[in-house]
Amino acid sequence: SLNRSSSSSSSSSYHRVIGCSKNKKNIRNSSIRRTQIRMDMSTDSWSNLKSLCASQTIGRSLNEEVELRESGRGSPHVQSKLRLFDQENDDAPKLTLYRDHAGWCPYCQKTMLLIEEKKLPIKIGLVPMRSYGDKPREFMQLVPSGLLPALGVERDDSGKQ
């Protein structure tokens, strides 16, 4: 804390401290501008950033994990839309689990734990909870109550649930 007394020495030190903080602020702003310019010059587009990331060890492993998840393999993740586990054929699963898209619903989590334990091949439909807005019309036609989790089973003859 600064003590502003009427003496000239304390007053001049007060101004020096304020002046020093202004200089620090100017230095900080100029370094931010330099960083922004450097980033603008070195990164032309999002695809350049992705390729730069992929050239790093961690970036490669993250990209491989995303590819595995999209194919229904890999580690479990809240945003996974397909879980095939060790299934030999790549036939589409007959079961579809509708769960919350953010991973907050404890009932959806319990259901996913059971699916992971039993290694049931399943498609996963991600549906927002009511706190995130309205649920999609297609989901509400399948489940009029809108409660999660919900399980859809495809019929052999028509492929509908």
Side-chain angles (χ1 to χ4, degrees), residues 22 44 51 53 71-72 88 91 96 103 135 153 160:
K22 285 182 182 177
D44 299 334
S51 64
C53 179
S71 69
E88 285 91 31
D91 294 339
T96 303
K135 296 186 180 193
V153 181
K160 292 189 176 182

Side-chain angles (χ1 to χ4, degrees), residues 42-53:
S42 64
T43 55
D44 299 334
S45 67
W46 186 250
S47 61
N48 287 350
L49 282 174
K50 287 174 78 175
S51 64
L52 180 64
C53 179

Side-chain angles (χ1 to χ4, degrees), residues 95-101 103-115 122-130 135 139-140 142-153 161:
L95 299 175
T96 303
L97 173 70
Y98 296 95
R99 62 162 296 155
D100 67 315
H101 77 287
W104 287 74
C105 174
Y107 305 108
C108 295
Q109 290 174 356
K110 288 177 186 179
T111 306
M112 281 306 299
L113 285 172
L114 180 66
I115 288 168
I122 195 162
K123 291 183 276 187
I124 301 169
L126 301 174
V127 179
M129 293 176 69
R130 284 204 170 90
K135 296 186 180 193
F139 175 73
M140 292 303 291
L142 290 172
V143 184
S145 67
L147 295 176
L148 294 173
L151 185 66
V153 181
Q161 296 181 358

Side-chain angles (χ1 to χ4, degrees), residues 40 61 68 70 73 75-76 107 116 138-139:
D40 291 340
S61 68
L68 277 173
E70 287 174 355
R73 316 270 187 230
S75 61
Y107 305 108
E116 291 291 325
E138 300 83 24
F139 175 73

